[in-house]
Amino acid sequence: MTTSRVTIKDVAARAGVSKGAVSLAFNHKPGLSDATRDRIFKAARELGWAPNLTARTLAGSRVDVVGLAICRPARLLGLEPFYMEFVSGVESVLTEHSCSLLLRLVRTVEEEVGLQEAWWRGRQVGGSILVDFQANDDPRVAAAERLGMPVVAVGHPSLTGSLTSVWTDDATAVTEAVRYLAALGHRRIARVGGAAALGHTAMRSAAFDEAARILELAGAWQVTTDYSGEAGARATRSLLASAPPDRPTAIVYDNDIMAVAGLSVAAEMGLSVPGDVSLLAWDDSQLCRLTHPTLSAMSHDVHGFGADVARTLFGVISGDGTGSHPVPTPVLTPRGSTAPPR
């Protein structure tokens, strides 16, 4: 059966739902369970079907719209400075090309696979930016390769298959952070990380463990979270609940929101920063410079990162780009939240 002969009725029959349910799924409307939505996307992929969503025709290598799907809750995304800076960098390049960004939030990677296929088959986008790669066999890699869809993967090449990728050297940055804290005299260091399923989280975790082993730290703890301030606060409270010498004297956070939450928790528990515990954030932002004390951070140009990714995508589309490449490694910026332990 060819794609042109398959109808929405065929997809509905295979998924065991109504045609209306298929329409809800592909228009990303509420009213369906996650399981039903995933079943519909799976049926559509098996049949090679996508809705006719064409509102424009792309001529040659001209690009009108670039897609970006992010698997984060809307509330959390709105609070996270990293993605706001990243998107602003992407937009700065799209504006130069008279393009628009089609941004959608999804709940699962599987949902994003269906969304990207619908975008590409329906000619809604000229290409897409893929972010937050899974640690093991991210299904978007095979889907993009099968579709021949122009994409740029924001992730280490070990996670992104044959896709053109742009990435930061997370392992080197984590190692630098741990070495810096150890050089200050900290022998008990913890890390509050992001989601365990993400590839960059796994890389940071491995680098942290290796640095702790080489430096022969007296204690090394790692906790995974969902990047939210609430999760960062809970992790910090748990790490600092023990009395010395069984608690860390320094904590590294995978984003600025969790580091700010950790600073509040330390104050709540009557601990001084950096007197009792030093804190270090990933992804320097205005938040890190507005706290008291100001937060030490791993700094890099997130706006420039987004712009680089967008330029690389245009290179993929035109066939005349720079290919996969890293961006500068985040640099440690010491501020008031880190000091030698008492």
Side-chain angles (χ1 to χ4, degrees), residues 81-90 282-285 298-309:
F82 173 86
Y83 269 118
M84 297 302 100
E85 279 291 299
F86 181 81
V87 169
S88 73
V90 170
W282 196 286
D283 292 329
D284 194 8
S285 72
M298 302 303 296
S299 306
H300 66 122
D301 183 2
V302 178
H303 178 94
F305 185 24
D308 190 343
V309 168

Side-chain angles (χ1 to χ4, degrees), residues 197-243:
L198 295 178
H200 65 263
T201 297
M203 290 179 176
R204 294 180 188 184
S205 298
F208 182 91
D209 283 339
E210 180 65 8
R213 184 189 66 79
I214 292 172
L215 294 167
E216 298 181 337
L217 298 182
W221 299 260
Q222 295 200 73
V223 183
T224 56
T225 69
D226 62 3
Y227 289 110
S228 69
E230 292 83 359
R234 283 194 301 271
T236 304
R237 203 170 285 115
S238 175
L239 288 167
L240 297 180
S242 300

Side-chain angles (χ1 to χ4, degrees), residues 180 274 284-285 288-289 293-297 299 332-339:
Y180 163 72
D284 194 8
S285 72
C288 297
R289 297 184 285 276
T294 52
L295 284 165
S296 297
S299 306
L332 196 145
T333 303
R335 296 197 183 100
S337 67
T338 51

Side-chain angles (χ1 to χ4, degrees), residues 32-55:
L32 299 175
S33 69
D34 289 348
T36 300
R37 197 179 301 270
D38 290 343
R39 193 166 72 249
I40 291 168
F41 288 142
K42 180 181 179 182
R45 288 196 299 273
E46 290 172 348
L47 293 171
W49 180 87
N52 181 14
L53 300 173
T54 305

